[in-house]
Amino acid sequence: MQKGECKLCLEHKELCRESHIIPRFMYKHITGDNNELVFIGAQRATHKFNSEYEGNILCEDCDSGLIGKLDDYFAKFINGEFPSVIQPRFERMDNRDIIVRENDPHYDYNRFKLFLLSLLWRASISSRPMFGQIKLPPEVEEDLRQRLLKHLPGEPDLYPCFIHLPPITTDQAGKTGFHTFYMPTMSPIYMEKGDLRMCEFIIEGVHYYFIISRPSNMNIEPAVSKNKLTLAFSTIEDQNKLIDQIVAYAKSHKRK
């Protein structure tokens, strides 16, 4: 192992050869013929036998310890590995179907929010081409680092997070669920409009939105709050537009 300064704890230690920027467990349906992962990246579609990772950025204590524990909790939560205690409820809000998990004893706001913030921070410190757009202001990047190190997710309206799931569809056999066609993965993007600054990650059709800053008069209700998790479903129209963008992008970036 190479020695150097860990980007999280800032201590001089032996550094990991592979630190995942986006954990592999978040990819389930984008494997190719040889079980490799397929990405629509910043340059072109690529095939890999591992998810996006980078070497020599984190020490073992931070990679497997601090961040690894957040990854492990999030993986178990979204994969339903905790015993079922309450049933989520379905509602309609702003002409969009949503699913609400409220007062779930297995929903730990601190760990859930910190995991999401860790994705944002990891993408910002990465030099991988896939995360080329996610370069946060230095003060934001440092604040996120401190929050991860001290286990301080902050209030829900600080770096508020929103999550949109893929649309639920019915196949020809009458089976209802998520269809892999509507589950693309793309390079995260950074967007600005006036005083609104946000980042969007699209991982297997799941959209993760992070508001970095916003106008003072902009009222929001974060999807990730202390006692409630609200997940919206994308519409088929939304995902079709995304698929069209991917197809157009792929045609203009064919391998030579």
Side-chain angles (χ1 to χ4, degrees), residues 3 13 22 24 49 86 95 102 107 111 131 173 182 191 194 248:
K3 286 192 174 181
K13 294 181 178 180
I22 296 177
R24 189 179 176 91
F49 287 94
I86 66 166
N95 295 319
E102 192 167 11
Y107 171 61
R111 287 189 287 176
F131 307 102
Y182 297 112
M191 299 169 282

Side-chain angles (χ1 to χ4, degrees), residues 54-72:
E54 189 163 344
N56 304 319
I57 58 173
L58 296 175
C59 68
E60 183 68 23
D61 289 337
C62 289
D63 185 70
S64 297
L66 193 156
I67 287 182
K69 290 179 180 177
L70 295 175
D71 289 356
D72 183 63

